[in-house]
Amino acid sequence: MKLALVTYDAITSYGSLSGAEDGLLLQYLSSKGLDITPEVWDNPAVNWEQYDLAIFKSPWDYFDKFPAFRAWLDRIETLGLRTLNPIGTIRWNSDKHYLLEVAQAGLPVVPTALLKKGARAQLEDFFTQFSTSKLIIKPSVSGGAKNTFIVPREEAEQVVPKLEELLAHEDFLVQPFMPQIQEEGEWSFLFFNGKYSHCLLKSAKSGDFRVQHFFGGTIHPQPAPANLLPQAQKLVDQFAKGCLYARVDGVAVGEELQLMELELIEPFLFLHTHEHALENYYRALKELLN
């Protein structure tokens, strides 16, 4: 069986750590006897028909080329090429509107509102709605904190022109700033084929709210908190069926895990942080191949 590991052209653009995980995974899976080759998703020279399975790993520029990405998904589906995670799941997860669907299903999500493309940026209503003095505003299709910014109430008027310029092109989400991000950090729970693998806490650098390592964030492997893990598992059980991998990112608000992102397309899996992570990934893949 020939496998493709789906990546993107500038694999090292977010730092050497990001690129290293793909190499680590390829080396491990190859050592297990799997015939696996990295392929750039939008490279027109790739013959996708030669593969039996395509594994989404790091197509990290998909949100910059979203129309092309959606067209490529259609092409892969037309070819009948099986993917992990499934194409339908990839489509659903590629737009953060999915957070509203998760909330409608009754599962805890960081409070989220939608600013539709072309809408006026009347932010005062959101400060009132969320009972907050700071908002986080982000595109509904994005990654790596692109065009994501924090808006204190006293600076809302200055932000409106920039936001309305961005709203001319795409939808945005509005959320209250969660102080837990700076006080405790953001939890990430990793699952392979629906089974819990490992957990870590991501912390932003002092004065920032972005936990990504390329913005100075740090990662801290942790045992999964007993009160939070079942909540992460429930999200995976309901919204990540048939997925090779899932990463649940959230903040602890009291005893509740509030979802920030359910990462099902191209999450960094922090495989280097846990001694059994690579083996857990491999076993999950073998289960799904059988």
Side-chain angles (χ1 to χ4, degrees):
M1 179 174 283
K2 288 181 67 64
L3 313 180
L5 193 73
V6 179
T7 184
Y8 83 130
D9 191 46
I11 186 64
T12 59
S13 68
Y14 287 123
S16 59
L17 181 63
S18 301
E21 182 167 271
D22 286 47
L24 185 69
L25 182 60
L26 280 165
Q27 183 179 24
Y28 191 83
L29 296 180
S30 295
S31 75
K32 294 291 188 176
L34 296 182
D35 181 3
I36 185 165
T37 304
E39 296 285 14
V40 173
W41 70 270
D42 60 345
N43 179 357
V46 176
N47 176 18
W48 295 102
E49 294 182 64
Q50 69 179 304
Y51 291 107
D52 301 293
L53 175 71
I55 301 172
F56 283 80
K57 179 61 182 72
S58 50
W60 286 334
D61 59 352
Y62 82 87
F63 50 85
D64 288 325
K65 307 173 180 178
F66 198 50
F69 184 70
R70 287 183 297 182
W72 177 75
L73 292 178
D74 292 343
R75 179 186 167 211
I76 293 299
E77 188 172 52
T78 299
L79 289 174
L81 176 58
R82 184 189 177 195
T83 68
L84 290 172
N85 290 339
I87 288 282
T89 299
I90 298 293
R91 286 199 185 96
W92 177 79
N93 194 234
S94 66
D95 189 316
K96 292 180 177 58
H97 284 83
Y98 75 80
L99 289 170
L100 303 175
E101 185 176 329
V102 175
Q104 288 167 2
L107 297 178
V109 173
V110 169
T112 302
L114 177 65
L115 267 175
K116 283 193 164 291
K117 177 181 175 181
R120 294 191 62 193
Q122 304 203 359
L123 299 182
E124 187 59 35
D125 294 344
F126 296 113
F127 289 106
T128 303
Q129 176 182 341
F130 296 135
S131 300
T132 186
S133 62
K134 295 180 182 178
L135 298 173
I136 296 290
I137 302 178
K138 64 182 74 172
S140 63
V141 177
S142 69
K146 178 187 177 183
N147 287 339
T148 297
F149 43 101
I150 187 168
V151 183
R153 195 169 203 153
E154 62 272 16
E155 297 176 14
E157 286 300 314
Q158 297 97 293
V159 168
V160 167
K162 176 184 177 182
L163 180 55
E164 290 193 340
E165 182 180 339
L166 292 168
L167 278 167
H169 305 285
E170 58 186 325
D171 293 351
F172 272 70
L173 300 181
V174 183
Q175 298 174 323
F177 173 74
M178 305 298 288
Q180 293 84 356
I181 289 286
Q182 291 180 329
E183 294 166 359
E184 180 182 27
E186 178 183 308
W187 290 96
S188 284
F189 301 85
L190 282 301
F191 296 81
F192 298 129
N193 194 18
K195 298 173 186 173
Y196 169 70
S197 174
H198 54 290
C199 173
L200 55 139
L201 189 63
K202 297 178 291 187
S203 301
K205 72 178 182 180
S206 179
D208 206 334
F209 66 96
R210 299 167 298 186
V211 297
Q212 292 92 343
H213 67 271
F214 42 88
F215 289 120
T218 54
I219 58 172
H220 310 274
Q222 303 278 330
N227 62 320
L228 302 182
L229 180 57
Q231 299 178 62
Q233 183 73 61
K234 189 173 182 179
L235 285 158
V236 172
D237 290 345
Q238 189 158 343
F239 291 100
K241 292 182 175 69
C243 288
L244 171 58
Y245 55 81
R247 196 181 86 196
V248 177
D249 292 346
V251 291
V253 181
E255 293 296 304
E256 184 176 77
L257 179 68
Q258 292 192 3
L259 180 68
M260 296 190 71
E261 300 276 0
L262 180 58
E263 298 272 13
L264 304 176
I265 301 177
E266 33 65 84
F268 196 76
L269 300 172
F270 300 100
L271 297 173
H272 68 291
T273 67
H274 190 278
E275 62 177 330
H276 300 303
L278 283 163
E279 182 65 17
N280 291 344
Y281 184 105
Y282 166 70
R283 289 184 179 181
L285 177 57
K286 289 292 286 184
E287 290 168 0
L288 289 164
L289 290 178
N290 291 336

